[in-house]
Amino acid sequence: EVQLVQSGAEVKKPGESLKISCKGSGYTFTGYWIAWVRQMPGKGLEWMGIIYPGDSYTRYSPSFQGQVTISADKSINTAYLQWTSLKASDTAMYYCARHPKNRYNRFDPWGQGTLVTVSS
Amino acid sequence: QSVLTQPPSVSGAPGQRVTISCTGSSSNIGAGYDVHWYQQVPGTAPKLLIYDNTNRPSGVPDRFSGSKSGTSASLAISGLQAEDEADYYCQSFDSGLSGSVFGGGTKLAVL
């Protein structure tokens, strides 16, 4: 079974750094794009960017370029989303999701989500 | 606002049929990129409902169907059931952004 399992909820203070993870299993991790999607409280889904773990090629939404870093460690089948200096406005649920075909296509499956709360 | 436009809410009685529209432009749906639909029950991750405009993943009831024409797509749900209450999102690819785009989401209420 293809699965993406994300790291647990985080509570951080403004200005702190954070790295959350998404571990893939049940498929060849290096062969499929992984995306990160933000969902702010009570709001819709926003595409943040993608990574191809085979060569770590990344692409970011203009809205998130320079705000976050997407990376992957193919030796442990894990993708990451990180911040160097969190803001209260980063409070949201973050999902990872796999493109089963190519980066122009659907997302399936999704991780269970990681809730990030940034508060002083 | 979102690149793809959906109505904020729709509603219907049990057994009825509802449709949710998803309107894009010449750089996404109108450019020929496929449209996909997701169902998100509150407190859970989105789940793929329709892919490549009209296809249902294994396990999705045939009450759910999708269509696409020009710069728009639609999701139809027939024989509404209480368990269909959820948020529904359309998704496609945008050549201008060179990335995936979502609709703003539609909340379905089963009256």
Side-chain angles (χ1 to χ4, degrees):
Chain A
E1 179 195 6
V2 176
Q3 261 193 317
L4 297 175
V5 177
Q6 297 184 230
S7 49
E10 301 274 2
V11 179
K12 291 289 190 179
K13 290 181 167 39
E16 291 187 332
S17 63
L18 176 64
K19 192 173 188 177
I20 63 175
S21 67
C22 168
K23 183 174 176 64
S25 63
Y27 71 100
T28 302
F29 184 72
T30 51
Y32 296 86
W33 295 85
I34 293 280
W36 285 96
V37 176
R38 183 176 77 174
Q39 187 169 38
M40 298 179 77
K43 302 298 183 183
L45 304 173
E46 300 174 88
W47 180 78
M48 301 176 71
I50 50 172
I51 187 165
Y52 189 75
D55 59 9
S56 287
Y57 175 85
T58 55
R59 185 152 197 101
Y60 295 90
S61 162
S63 299
F64 293 93
Q65 180 82 48
Q67 309 304 308
V68 297
T69 300
I70 295 171
S71 61
D73 184 340
K74 59 187 179 183
S75 69
I76 54 172
N77 292 356
T78 301
Y80 301 98
L81 178 65
Q82 72 178 90
W83 296 258
T84 55
S85 182
L86 286 160
K87 302 185 280 287
S89 57
D90 292 317
T91 295
M93 181 71 83
Y94 293 88
Y95 294 101
C96 63
R98 188 189 78 152
H99 280 298
K101 194 170 156 185
N102 56 52
R103 71 182 185 96
Y104 310 100
N105 209 257
R106 64 192 181 272
F107 297 113
D108 185 41
W110 294 63
Q112 84 276 20
T114 296
L115 180 62
V116 174
T117 303
V118 184
S119 173
S120 54
Chain B
Q1 61 250 41
S2 304
V3 173
L4 305 179
T5 301
Q6 298 180 233
S9 64
V10 297
S11 63
Q16 284 191 331
R17 180 179 186 271
V18 296
T19 61
I20 299 172
S21 60
C22 174
T23 302
S25 68
S26 58
S27 62
N28 41 68
I29 299 174
Y33 293 107
D34 291 324
V35 178
H36 320 287
W37 292 89
Y38 303 89
Q39 179 191 60
Q40 186 179 34
V41 174
T44 70
K47 170 192 144 185
L48 182 66
L49 196 64
I50 297 287
Y51 68 96
D52 296 354
N53 310 311
T54 60
N55 297 299
R56 281 187 311 276
S58 173
V60 173
D62 60 6
R63 302 185 296 104
F64 295 90
S65 62
S67 63
K68 174 189 164 187
S69 178
T71 58
S72 296
S74 289
L75 172 70
I77 310 171
S78 60
L80 268 181
Q81 299 181 4
E83 68 204 48
D84 298 333
E85 274 208 347
D87 295 319
Y88 293 84
Y89 294 90
C90 59
Q91 175 245 322
S92 188
F93 182 87
D94 189 276
S95 58
L97 293 171
S98 193
S100 296
V101 288
F102 288 98
T106 299
K107 183 174 291 291
L108 169 63
V110 180
L111 306 172

